[in-house]
Every structure is written in structure tokens, then in C-alpha cells.
Amino acid sequence: MITRTALRHLDRTFVMGILNATPDSFSDGGQWMDLNSAIARGYRLVDQGADIIDVGGESTRPGAQALSSGEEWDRIGAVVKALAQAGIAVSVDTYHAATARLAVEAGAVIINDVTGGAGDPSMFSTVAGLGCMYVLQHTRGTPETMNSLASYESVPGEVAAELEESVRRAVGSGIDRSNIIVDPGFGFAKNADHNWDLAAHFGAVEALGQPVLIGVSRKRFLEEVAPDSVPSSRDNATATLTGYFASRGVWGVRVHEVAASKAAILTAERLRESGAFTGQGAFRGRATPGNREDGGDREASGGSEGSDA
């Protein structure tokens, strides 16, 4: 099992397997609501190569029903405890500070906040007190309003700037910068063109100097290259992007189907050992948290699609 110390290493790309204990997530809602099936799913993801299991109790797709922290914890609490007690590195996907506290007390090592601290004014101070690792994601608005806010002059530049401001506020609230992982929020307040633009011109996010988590798994913008309407049909496209981002040296990828993405990461790492990717992305010298590199591509795109997160 992977340790918390190992999760701070910046010389590999981790796989975060998605475990949705929800009835309404866009891809697998309702499949893992039962405690035993959820725990079994977590074990299976680890067997397939997941380093971390990201447990979520509330869907963040557009129009999803918001939950109270109590309702959320009722869905995921026993799952988090069981997986953590088994020695599995557990992340909890929540924007509720109360859930974050309970999760860490139950053994979770990462809080994955899709709102970047905007969903609960107590989140930053809570995470600071807990001292856990914290995924700070880019988004705008709420699941109900994010589509209307998908307007940019420069997608990569604005996403990076807004992430940088969120990191500044988090650090100002007492969160150790070395605990912060940034997520550019593919699909959140971004249409299909925005997502492709952000992926293609990723230097602005890399230049922040923070570890980066990527969440593109089964997102709707992948329909362009995987036109079947079933979300699981996008797993091959997801794994292709995993290989691309692994070649750039991202900290982690968050995926539904682990095996193909794990293989893509191992392939990218083996190519790196053989001399590929020299001078590319984070492999230029693998930025450590708090040490920002200069540079980054900033291109423009327009329109509106929304998120299937």
C-alpha cells in the first residue's frame, strides 16, 4: 500500500481511482451505493493499479442535487473507514469542511475539493488545521451556474491565474503550500473547445509550480473522439490523455477505469527512462511546490458546454 510520504514524491504519476457512492453521477451513479459493493469496488481498483481511492458522495455534474455534509457522510463514512483501515490511501471528494474533518479523522489523507475552497468558507481553515493534502480545483460558480460562466479570453492563462489566486488565499488561510495539489478542472465551467485548448497549452498551469491532478475521465468533451453515447466508451480516449499528461510529469490522474491508464503511465515512464520527453513540461526539472517556473502557453477559445463531473 502507498504511504502518505510516498504521495509527496514528484518523480512519478499516481493513479486516483474513482469510487462514487452516489445515485446520480454521470458515469456510474447507483452502482456502488451498497457498503459491501463500494468496499469491493475500492479493492478492485487497487488490484487494477490504483494508488489512491477517491471516495465521493455527491455528484457535481450540472444540475446535480446538493447534499448537506451529514447526508454526504452517511453515504461515504463507512466506506472511507473500511478502506483506510485496510491501509489504502483514501481521498475524499467533498467541498464540505465538516465532511473533510470527519474524513481525515477516519483515515483519509487527501481532501479533493472541486470548488477550490469556494463551496464552504470554513474549508481552508479546516484543512489548515488538519494538515492533510488538499486538491484545489478550478471552477466557476456552482453545478447549476457553471455552464453560463464558461467564457474566456485565454483559457489556459485565466485558469492558471484563477488557480494561482486560490492557492494564494489557501496559503494565506494557513494551508501549507507543500500540501496543495492543483486541478485545472476539465469540464467545470469549460466547453469542449476550452478543454482541448487547456490540454494542448498546459504550460501555464505547470508554471504554477504545484503538483497537478488531472480529471478528464469519461468527460463529455471526449465524445468528439469516442462518439458512442455511453460514458465508458471514452475510456480509451481517457487513457490516451493519461499518457500525454504523464509524459508531461503531472502528479496524478483521476480515472474511472484504472488498468488502461496505469499502462499508459508505465509506458510514458519507460519512454522517459529511455530519453524521451527531454525538455518537455514538468520534466524540464519537475517543479516542486512553491517554486514557480516561468513561461506557459496562453491561447484563446470560446463557447459553452459544461461538465459531466
PDB file of all heavy atoms in Angstrom, residues 80-121:
ATOM      1  N   VAL A  80     -15.059   5.042   3.700  1.00  0.00           N
ATOM      2  CA  VAL A  80     -13.772   5.681   3.977  1.00  0.00           C
ATOM      3  C   VAL A  80     -13.048   4.949   5.101  1.00  0.00           C
ATOM      4  O   VAL A  80     -11.851   4.624   4.995  1.00  0.00           O
ATOM      5  CB  VAL A  80     -13.977   7.164   4.339  1.00  0.00           C
ATOM      6  CG1 VAL A  80     -12.668   7.788   4.826  1.00  0.00           C
ATOM      7  CG2 VAL A  80     -14.528   7.943   3.147  1.00  0.00           C
ATOM      8  N   LYS A  81     -13.752   4.672   6.178  1.00  0.00           N
ATOM      9  CA  LYS A  81     -13.144   3.998   7.325  1.00  0.00           C
ATOM     10  C   LYS A  81     -12.623   2.622   6.947  1.00  0.00           C
ATOM     11  O   LYS A  81     -11.492   2.242   7.295  1.00  0.00           O
ATOM     12  CB  LYS A  81     -14.164   3.873   8.457  1.00  0.00           C
ATOM     13  CG  LYS A  81     -14.556   5.197   9.094  1.00  0.00           C
ATOM     14  CD  LYS A  81     -15.660   4.993  10.128  1.00  0.00           C
ATOM     15  CE  LYS A  81     -16.136   6.330  10.688  1.00  0.00           C
ATOM     16  NZ  LYS A  81     -17.273   6.163  11.648  1.00  0.00           N
ATOM     17  N   ALA A  82     -13.426   1.856   6.216  1.00  0.00           N
ATOM     18  CA  ALA A  82     -13.028   0.490   5.859  1.00  0.00           C
ATOM     19  C   ALA A  82     -11.797   0.474   4.968  1.00  0.00           C
ATOM     20  O   ALA A  82     -10.859  -0.312   5.190  1.00  0.00           O
ATOM     21  CB  ALA A  82     -14.190  -0.224   5.180  1.00  0.00           C
ATOM     22  N   LEU A  83     -11.765   1.335   3.955  1.00  0.00           N
ATOM     23  CA  LEU A  83     -10.626   1.350   3.037  1.00  0.00           C
ATOM     24  C   LEU A  83      -9.373   1.864   3.732  1.00  0.00           C
ATOM     25  O   LEU A  83      -8.278   1.320   3.536  1.00  0.00           O
ATOM     26  CB  LEU A  83     -10.957   2.206   1.817  1.00  0.00           C
ATOM     27  CG  LEU A  83     -12.089   1.691   0.918  1.00  0.00           C
ATOM     28  CD1 LEU A  83     -12.325   2.651  -0.243  1.00  0.00           C
ATOM     29  CD2 LEU A  83     -11.792   0.290   0.382  1.00  0.00           C
ATOM     30  N   ALA A  84      -9.518   2.906   4.548  1.00  0.00           N
ATOM     31  CA  ALA A  84      -8.363   3.450   5.262  1.00  0.00           C
ATOM     32  C   ALA A  84      -7.804   2.429   6.247  1.00  0.00           C
ATOM     33  O   ALA A  84      -6.578   2.275   6.379  1.00  0.00           O
ATOM     34  CB  ALA A  84      -8.745   4.740   5.977  1.00  0.00           C
ATOM     35  N   GLN A  85      -8.679   1.710   6.935  1.00  0.00           N
ATOM     36  CA  GLN A  85      -8.224   0.700   7.889  1.00  0.00           C
ATOM     37  C   GLN A  85      -7.514  -0.447   7.200  1.00  0.00           C
ATOM     38  O   GLN A  85      -6.690  -1.134   7.805  1.00  0.00           O
ATOM     39  CB  GLN A  85      -9.408   0.185   8.701  1.00  0.00           C
ATOM     40  CG  GLN A  85      -9.919   1.190   9.724  1.00  0.00           C
ATOM     41  CD  GLN A  85     -11.200   0.746  10.413  1.00  0.00           C
ATOM     42  OE1 GLN A  85     -11.745  -0.324  10.120  1.00  0.00           O
ATOM     43  NE2 GLN A  85     -11.685   1.561  11.347  1.00  0.00           N
ATOM     44  N   ALA A  86      -7.820  -0.646   5.918  1.00  0.00           N
ATOM     45  CA  ALA A  86      -7.142  -1.682   5.135  1.00  0.00           C
ATOM     46  C   ALA A  86      -5.790  -1.213   4.612  1.00  0.00           C
ATOM     47  O   ALA A  86      -5.097  -1.969   3.913  1.00  0.00           O
ATOM     48  CB  ALA A  86      -8.027  -2.112   3.971  1.00  0.00           C
ATOM     49  N   GLY A  87      -5.406   0.015   4.931  1.00  0.00           N
ATOM     50  CA  GLY A  87      -4.114   0.544   4.514  1.00  0.00           C
ATOM     51  C   GLY A  87      -4.115   1.208   3.160  1.00  0.00           C
ATOM     52  O   GLY A  87      -3.050   1.520   2.612  1.00  0.00           O
ATOM     53  N   ILE A  88      -5.291   1.450   2.598  1.00  0.00           N
ATOM     54  CA  ILE A  88      -5.400   2.093   1.288  1.00  0.00           C
ATOM     55  C   ILE A  88      -5.358   3.608   1.459  1.00  0.00           C
ATOM     56  O   ILE A  88      -5.972   4.158   2.388  1.00  0.00           O
ATOM     57  CB  ILE A  88      -6.706   1.658   0.601  1.00  0.00           C
ATOM     58  CG1 ILE A  88      -6.664   0.157   0.296  1.00  0.00           C
ATOM     59  CG2 ILE A  88      -6.962   2.465  -0.673  1.00  0.00           C
ATOM     60  CD1 ILE A  88      -7.979  -0.421  -0.174  1.00  0.00           C
ATOM     61  N   ALA A  89      -4.633   4.288   0.585  1.00  0.00           N
ATOM     62  CA  ALA A  89      -4.605   5.754   0.595  1.00  0.00           C
ATOM     63  C   ALA A  89      -5.953   6.263   0.081  1.00  0.00           C
ATOM     64  O   ALA A  89      -6.314   6.016  -1.073  1.00  0.00           O
ATOM     65  CB  ALA A  89      -3.474   6.280  -0.275  1.00  0.00           C
ATOM     66  N   VAL A  90      -6.690   6.965   0.932  1.00  0.00           N
ATOM     67  CA  VAL A  90      -8.031   7.416   0.604  1.00  0.00           C
ATOM     68  C   VAL A  90      -8.067   8.926   0.450  1.00  0.00           C
ATOM     69  O   VAL A  90      -7.545   9.669   1.285  1.00  0.00           O
ATOM     70  CB  VAL A  90      -9.050   6.985   1.679  1.00  0.00           C
ATOM     71  CG1 VAL A  90     -10.443   7.542   1.372  1.00  0.00           C
ATOM     72  CG2 VAL A  90      -9.104   5.463   1.785  1.00  0.00           C
ATOM     73  N   SER A  91      -8.692   9.350  -0.639  1.00  0.00           N
ATOM     74  CA  SER A  91      -9.023  10.752  -0.872  1.00  0.00           C
ATOM     75  C   SER A  91     -10.534  10.877  -0.758  1.00  0.00           C
ATOM     76  O   SER A  91     -11.262   9.938  -1.097  1.00  0.00           O
ATOM     77  CB  SER A  91      -8.569  11.170  -2.273  1.00  0.00           C
ATOM     78  OG  SER A  91      -9.101  12.418  -2.651  1.00  0.00           O
ATOM     79  N   VAL A  92     -11.015  12.006  -0.261  1.00  0.00           N
ATOM     80  CA  VAL A  92     -12.454  12.219  -0.187  1.00  0.00           C
ATOM     81  C   VAL A  92     -12.823  13.449  -0.997  1.00  0.00           C
ATOM     82  O   VAL A  92     -12.274  14.537  -0.805  1.00  0.00           O
ATOM     83  CB  VAL A  92     -12.932  12.355   1.269  1.00  0.00           C
ATOM     84  CG1 VAL A  92     -14.382  12.819   1.324  1.00  0.00           C
ATOM     85  CG2 VAL A  92     -12.798  11.010   1.978  1.00  0.00           C
ATOM     86  N   ASP A  93     -13.741  13.234  -1.929  1.00  0.00           N
ATOM     87  CA  ASP A  93     -14.216  14.269  -2.850  1.00  0.00           C
ATOM     88  C   ASP A  93     -15.355  15.024  -2.162  1.00  0.00           C
ATOM     89  O   ASP A  93     -16.492  14.559  -2.122  1.00  0.00           O
ATOM     90  CB  ASP A  93     -14.693  13.582  -4.127  1.00  0.00           C
ATOM     91  CG  ASP A  93     -15.177  14.548  -5.193  1.00  0.00           C
ATOM     92  OD1 ASP A  93     -15.233  15.764  -4.922  1.00  0.00           O
ATOM     93  OD2 ASP A  93     -15.517  14.078  -6.295  1.00  0.00           O
ATOM     94  N   THR A  94     -15.037  16.193  -1.596  1.00  0.00           N
ATOM     95  CA  THR A  94     -16.044  16.960  -0.869  1.00  0.00           C
ATOM     96  C   THR A  94     -15.691  18.434  -0.855  1.00  0.00           C
ATOM     97  O   THR A  94     -14.516  18.797  -0.931  1.00  0.00           O
ATOM     98  CB  THR A  94     -16.176  16.470   0.585  1.00  0.00           C
ATOM     99  OG1 THR A  94     -17.241  17.183   1.247  1.00  0.00           O
ATOM    100  CG2 THR A  94     -14.885  16.686   1.372  1.00  0.00           C
ATOM    101  N   TYR A  95     -16.722  19.280  -0.759  1.00  0.00           N
ATOM    102  CA  TYR A  95     -16.490  20.704  -0.533  1.00  0.00           C
ATOM    103  C   TYR A  95     -17.002  21.126   0.835  1.00  0.00           C
ATOM    104  O   TYR A  95     -16.980  22.313   1.172  1.00  0.00           O
ATOM    105  CB  TYR A  95     -17.144  21.545  -1.640  1.00  0.00           C
ATOM    106  CG  TYR A  95     -18.639  21.370  -1.774  1.00  0.00           C
ATOM    107  CD1 TYR A  95     -19.519  22.113  -0.983  1.00  0.00           C
ATOM    108  CD2 TYR A  95     -19.179  20.476  -2.690  1.00  0.00           C
ATOM    109  CE1 TYR A  95     -20.894  21.956  -1.106  1.00  0.00           C
ATOM    110  CE2 TYR A  95     -20.540  20.311  -2.820  1.00  0.00           C
ATOM    111  CZ  TYR A  95     -21.407  21.056  -2.028  1.00  0.00           C
ATOM    112  OH  TYR A  95     -22.761  20.897  -2.143  1.00  0.00           O
ATOM    113  N   HIS A  96     -17.430  20.165   1.635  1.00  0.00           N
ATOM    114  CA  HIS A  96     -17.927  20.448   2.982  1.00  0.00           C
ATOM    115  C   HIS A  96     -16.800  20.312   4.000  1.00  0.00           C
ATOM    116  O   HIS A  96     -16.186  19.246   4.115  1.00  0.00           O
ATOM    117  CB  HIS A  96     -19.048  19.480   3.358  1.00  0.00           C
ATOM    118  CG  HIS A  96     -20.290  19.617   2.543  1.00  0.00           C
ATOM    119  ND1 HIS A  96     -21.121  20.712   2.651  1.00  0.00           N
ATOM    120  CD2 HIS A  96     -20.844  18.798   1.607  1.00  0.00           C
ATOM    121  CE1 HIS A  96     -22.149  20.557   1.818  1.00  0.00           C
ATOM    122  NE2 HIS A  96     -22.006  19.420   1.178  1.00  0.00           N
ATOM    123  N   ALA A  97     -16.550  21.369   4.778  1.00  0.00           N
ATOM    124  CA  ALA A  97     -15.493  21.324   5.782  1.00  0.00           C
ATOM    125  C   ALA A  97     -15.777  20.266   6.845  1.00  0.00           C
ATOM    126  O   ALA A  97     -14.861  19.580   7.309  1.00  0.00           O
ATOM    127  CB  ALA A  97     -15.334  22.697   6.433  1.00  0.00           C
ATOM    128  N   ALA A  98     -17.044  20.110   7.240  1.00  0.00           N
ATOM    129  CA  ALA A  98     -17.383  19.115   8.254  1.00  0.00           C
ATOM    130  C   ALA A  98     -17.072  17.706   7.764  1.00  0.00           C
ATOM    131  O   ALA A  98     -16.559  16.862   8.517  1.00  0.00           O
ATOM    132  CB  ALA A  98     -18.857  19.234   8.642  1.00  0.00           C
ATOM    133  N   THR A  99     -17.365  17.423   6.488  1.00  0.00           N
ATOM    134  CA  THR A  99     -17.039  16.119   5.917  1.00  0.00           C
ATOM    135  C   THR A  99     -15.533  15.929   5.853  1.00  0.00           C
ATOM    136  O   THR A  99     -15.024  14.830   6.130  1.00  0.00           O
ATOM    137  CB  THR A  99     -17.644  15.981   4.508  1.00  0.00           C
ATOM    138  OG1 THR A  99     -19.061  16.122   4.596  1.00  0.00           O
ATOM    139  CG2 THR A  99     -17.307  14.637   3.887  1.00  0.00           C
ATOM    140  N   ALA A 100     -14.809  16.969   5.487  1.00  0.00           N
ATOM    141  CA  ALA A 100     -13.348  16.888   5.421  1.00  0.00           C
ATOM    142  C   ALA A 100     -12.768  16.488   6.773  1.00  0.00           C
ATOM    143  O   ALA A 100     -11.879  15.622   6.859  1.00  0.00           O
ATOM    144  CB  ALA A 100     -12.772  18.218   4.954  1.00  0.00           C
ATOM    145  N   ARG A 101     -13.259  17.109   7.836  1.00  0.00           N
ATOM    146  CA  ARG A 101     -12.745  16.789   9.167  1.00  0.00           C
ATOM    147  C   ARG A 101     -13.032  15.330   9.528  1.00  0.00           C
ATOM    148  O   ARG A 101     -12.143  14.605   9.989  1.00  0.00           O
ATOM    149  CB  ARG A 101     -13.374  17.724  10.209  1.00  0.00           C
ATOM    150  CG  ARG A 101     -12.881  17.456  11.626  1.00  0.00           C
ATOM    151  CD  ARG A 101     -13.439  18.462  12.607  1.00  0.00           C
ATOM    152  NE  ARG A 101     -13.015  19.819  12.270  1.00  0.00           N
ATOM    153  CZ  ARG A 101     -11.813  20.316  12.547  1.00  0.00           C
ATOM    154  NH1 ARG A 101     -10.910  19.548  13.167  1.00  0.00           N
ATOM    155  NH2 ARG A 101     -11.507  21.550  12.211  1.00  0.00           N
ATOM    156  N   LEU A 102     -14.262  14.893   9.311  1.00  0.00           N
ATOM    157  CA  LEU A 102     -14.614  13.510   9.624  1.00  0.00           C
ATOM    158  C   LEU A 102     -13.801  12.532   8.788  1.00  0.00           C
ATOM    159  O   LEU A 102     -13.382  11.471   9.274  1.00  0.00           O
ATOM    160  CB  LEU A 102     -16.105  13.286   9.382  1.00  0.00           C
ATOM    161  CG  LEU A 102     -17.064  13.964  10.368  1.00  0.00           C
ATOM    162  CD1 LEU A 102     -18.506  13.856   9.870  1.00  0.00           C
ATOM    163  CD2 LEU A 102     -16.926  13.350  11.756  1.00  0.00           C
ATOM    164  N   ALA A 103     -13.572  12.887   7.526  1.00  0.00           N
ATOM    165  CA  ALA A 103     -12.832  12.001   6.630  1.00  0.00           C
ATOM    166  C   ALA A 103     -11.396  11.808   7.098  1.00  0.00           C
ATOM    167  O   ALA A 103     -10.882  10.675   7.132  1.00  0.00           O
ATOM    168  CB  ALA A 103     -12.865  12.554   5.209  1.00  0.00           C
ATOM    169  N   VAL A 104     -10.726  12.891   7.438  1.00  0.00           N
ATOM    170  CA  VAL A 104      -9.335  12.794   7.901  1.00  0.00           C
ATOM    171  C   VAL A 104      -9.272  12.053   9.234  1.00  0.00           C
ATOM    172  O   VAL A 104      -8.377  11.225   9.470  1.00  0.00           O
ATOM    173  CB  VAL A 104      -8.693  14.180   7.982  1.00  0.00           C
ATOM    174  CG1 VAL A 104      -7.304  14.104   8.616  1.00  0.00           C
ATOM    175  CG2 VAL A 104      -8.591  14.798   6.581  1.00  0.00           C
ATOM    176  N   GLU A 105     -10.223  12.313  10.105  1.00  0.00           N
ATOM    177  CA  GLU A 105     -10.265  11.588  11.375  1.00  0.00           C
ATOM    178  C   GLU A 105     -10.480  10.097  11.155  1.00  0.00           C
ATOM    179  O   GLU A 105     -10.025   9.267  11.951  1.00  0.00           O
ATOM    180  CB  GLU A 105     -11.382  12.154  12.256  1.00  0.00           C
ATOM    181  CG  GLU A 105     -11.082  13.551  12.789  1.00  0.00           C
ATOM    182  CD  GLU A 105     -12.259  14.178  13.515  1.00  0.00           C
ATOM    183  OE1 GLU A 105     -13.364  13.589  13.489  1.00  0.00           O
ATOM    184  OE2 GLU A 105     -12.073  15.244  14.124  1.00  0.00           O
ATOM    185  N   ALA A 106     -11.148   9.753  10.050  1.00  0.00           N
ATOM    186  CA  ALA A 106     -11.402   8.344   9.725  1.00  0.00           C
ATOM    187  C   ALA A 106     -10.246   7.696   8.968  1.00  0.00           C
ATOM    188  O   ALA A 106     -10.284   6.496   8.687  1.00  0.00           O
ATOM    189  CB  ALA A 106     -12.680   8.215   8.903  1.00  0.00           C
ATOM    190  N   GLY A 107      -9.222   8.481   8.607  1.00  0.00           N
ATOM    191  CA  GLY A 107      -8.042   7.921   7.957  1.00  0.00           C
ATOM    192  C   GLY A 107      -7.747   8.411   6.562  1.00  0.00           C
ATOM    193  O   GLY A 107      -6.742   8.010   5.964  1.00  0.00           O
ATOM    194  N   ALA A 108      -8.595   9.270   5.988  1.00  0.00           N
ATOM    195  CA  ALA A 108      -8.308   9.819   4.662  1.00  0.00           C
ATOM    196  C   ALA A 108      -7.067  10.699   4.716  1.00  0.00           C
ATOM    197  O   ALA A 108      -6.806  11.366   5.731  1.00  0.00           O
ATOM    198  CB  ALA A 108      -9.496  10.622   4.140  1.00  0.00           C
ATOM    199  N   VAL A 109      -6.303  10.731   3.635  1.00  0.00           N
ATOM    200  CA  VAL A 109      -5.065  11.508   3.601  1.00  0.00           C
ATOM    201  C   VAL A 109      -5.148  12.691   2.647  1.00  0.00           C
ATOM    202  O   VAL A 109      -4.258  13.549   2.639  1.00  0.00           O
ATOM    203  CB  VAL A 109      -3.856  10.623   3.233  1.00  0.00           C
ATOM    204  CG1 VAL A 109      -3.611   9.597   4.319  1.00  0.00           C
ATOM    205  CG2 VAL A 109      -4.049   9.947   1.881  1.00  0.00           C
ATOM    206  N   ILE A 110      -6.201  12.743   1.811  1.00  0.00           N
ATOM    207  CA  ILE A 110      -6.363  13.824   0.841  1.00  0.00           C
ATOM    208  C   ILE A 110      -7.809  14.295   0.859  1.00  0.00           C
ATOM    209  O   ILE A 110      -8.730  13.479   0.906  1.00  0.00           O
ATOM    210  CB  ILE A 110      -6.016  13.371  -0.589  1.00  0.00           C
ATOM    211  CG1 ILE A 110      -4.576  12.864  -0.681  1.00  0.00           C
ATOM    212  CG2 ILE A 110      -6.224  14.506  -1.600  1.00  0.00           C
ATOM    213  CD1 ILE A 110      -4.234  12.221  -2.027  1.00  0.00           C
ATOM    214  N   ILE A 111      -8.013  15.612   0.818  1.00  0.00           N
ATOM    215  CA  ILE A 111      -9.327  16.192   0.579  1.00  0.00           C
ATOM    216  C   ILE A 111      -9.324  16.769  -0.824  1.00  0.00           C
ATOM    217  O   ILE A 111      -8.458  17.580  -1.174  1.00  0.00           O
ATOM    218  CB  ILE A 111      -9.671  17.281   1.608  1.00  0.00           C
ATOM    219  CG1 ILE A 111      -9.742  16.683   3.010  1.00  0.00           C
ATOM    220  CG2 ILE A 111     -10.987  17.969   1.241  1.00  0.00           C
ATOM    221  CD1 ILE A 111     -10.759  15.561   3.176  1.00  0.00           C
ATOM    222  N   ASN A 112     -10.280  16.342  -1.642  1.00  0.00           N
ATOM    223  CA  ASN A 112     -10.376  16.739  -3.044  1.00  0.00           C
ATOM    224  C   ASN A 112     -11.584  17.664  -3.188  1.00  0.00           C
ATOM    225  O   ASN A 112     -12.724  17.201  -3.216  1.00  0.00           O
ATOM    226  CB  ASN A 112     -10.519  15.490  -3.916  1.00  0.00           C
ATOM    227  CG  ASN A 112     -10.620  15.806  -5.391  1.00  0.00           C
ATOM    228  OD1 ASN A 112     -10.373  16.931  -5.819  1.00  0.00           O
ATOM    229  ND2 ASN A 112     -11.001  14.815  -6.171  1.00  0.00           N
ATOM    230  N   ASP A 113     -11.325  18.951  -3.284  1.00  0.00           N
ATOM    231  CA  ASP A 113     -12.385  19.967  -3.250  1.00  0.00           C
ATOM    232  C   ASP A 113     -12.583  20.567  -4.640  1.00  0.00           C
ATOM    233  O   ASP A 113     -11.784  21.389  -5.090  1.00  0.00           O
ATOM    234  CB  ASP A 113     -11.995  21.056  -2.244  1.00  0.00           C
ATOM    235  CG  ASP A 113     -13.035  22.149  -2.090  1.00  0.00           C
ATOM    236  OD1 ASP A 113     -14.074  22.101  -2.773  1.00  0.00           O
ATOM    237  OD2 ASP A 113     -12.806  23.062  -1.273  1.00  0.00           O
ATOM    238  N   VAL A 114     -13.677  20.183  -5.307  1.00  0.00           N
ATOM    239  CA  VAL A 114     -13.910  20.655  -6.672  1.00  0.00           C
ATOM    240  C   VAL A 114     -14.240  22.141  -6.722  1.00  0.00           C
ATOM    241  O   VAL A 114     -14.200  22.739  -7.798  1.00  0.00           O
ATOM    242  CB  VAL A 114     -15.029  19.857  -7.372  1.00  0.00           C
ATOM    243  CG1 VAL A 114     -14.669  18.388  -7.476  1.00  0.00           C
ATOM    244  CG2 VAL A 114     -16.375  20.043  -6.687  1.00  0.00           C
ATOM    245  N   THR A 115     -14.553  22.751  -5.595  1.00  0.00           N
ATOM    246  CA  THR A 115     -14.870  24.184  -5.580  1.00  0.00           C
ATOM    247  C   THR A 115     -13.660  25.049  -5.287  1.00  0.00           C
ATOM    248  O   THR A 115     -13.763  26.278  -5.291  1.00  0.00           O
ATOM    249  CB  THR A 115     -15.963  24.506  -4.540  1.00  0.00           C
ATOM    250  OG1 THR A 115     -15.411  24.430  -3.217  1.00  0.00           O
ATOM    251  CG2 THR A 115     -17.152  23.564  -4.665  1.00  0.00           C
ATOM    252  N   GLY A 116     -12.526  24.443  -5.003  1.00  0.00           N
ATOM    253  CA  GLY A 116     -11.332  25.220  -4.694  1.00  0.00           C
ATOM    254  C   GLY A 116     -11.486  26.107  -3.480  1.00  0.00           C
ATOM    255  O   GLY A 116     -10.884  27.183  -3.393  1.00  0.00           O
ATOM    256  N   GLY A 117     -12.284  25.668  -2.516  1.00  0.00           N
ATOM    257  CA  GLY A 117     -12.482  26.422  -1.292  1.00  0.00           C
ATOM    258  C   GLY A 117     -13.676  27.343  -1.311  1.00  0.00           C
ATOM    259  O   GLY A 117     -14.040  27.915  -0.274  1.00  0.00           O
ATOM    260  N   ALA A 118     -14.309  27.500  -2.468  1.00  0.00           N
ATOM    261  CA  ALA A 118     -15.429  28.437  -2.582  1.00  0.00           C
ATOM    262  C   ALA A 118     -16.745  27.846  -2.070  1.00  0.00           C
ATOM    263  O   ALA A 118     -17.693  28.582  -1.813  1.00  0.00           O
ATOM    264  CB  ALA A 118     -15.603  28.868  -4.034  1.00  0.00           C
ATOM    265  N   GLY A 119     -16.807  26.531  -1.930  1.00  0.00           N
ATOM    266  CA  GLY A 119     -18.058  25.886  -1.549  1.00  0.00           C
ATOM    267  C   GLY A 119     -18.388  25.973  -0.083  1.00  0.00           C
ATOM    268  O   GLY A 119     -19.549  25.804   0.305  1.00  0.00           O
ATOM    269  N   ASP A 120     -17.396  26.205   0.756  1.00  0.00           N
ATOM    270  CA  ASP A 120     -17.593  26.281   2.202  1.00  0.00           C
ATOM    271  C   ASP A 120     -16.554  27.230   2.764  1.00  0.00           C
ATOM    272  O   ASP A 120     -15.343  26.980   2.653  1.00  0.00           O
ATOM    273  CB  ASP A 120     -17.440  24.894   2.826  1.00  0.00           C
ATOM    274  CG  ASP A 120     -17.766  24.845   4.311  1.00  0.00           C
ATOM    275  OD1 ASP A 120     -17.620  25.876   4.989  1.00  0.00           O
ATOM    276  OD2 ASP A 120     -18.171  23.764   4.796  1.00  0.00           O
ATOM    277  N   PRO A 121     -16.963  28.345   3.374  1.00  0.00           N
ATOM    278  CA  PRO A 121     -15.997  29.327   3.877  1.00  0.00           C
ATOM    279  C   PRO A 121     -15.089  28.789   4.973  1.00  0.00           C
ATOM    280  O   PRO A 121     -14.061  29.396   5.279  1.00  0.00           O
ATOM    281  CB  PRO A 121     -16.895  30.456   4.401  1.00  0.00           C
ATOM    282  CG  PRO A 121     -18.228  29.836   4.637  1.00  0.00           C
ATOM    283  CD  PRO A 121     -18.366  28.767   3.593  1.00  0.00           C
TER     284      PRO A 121
END
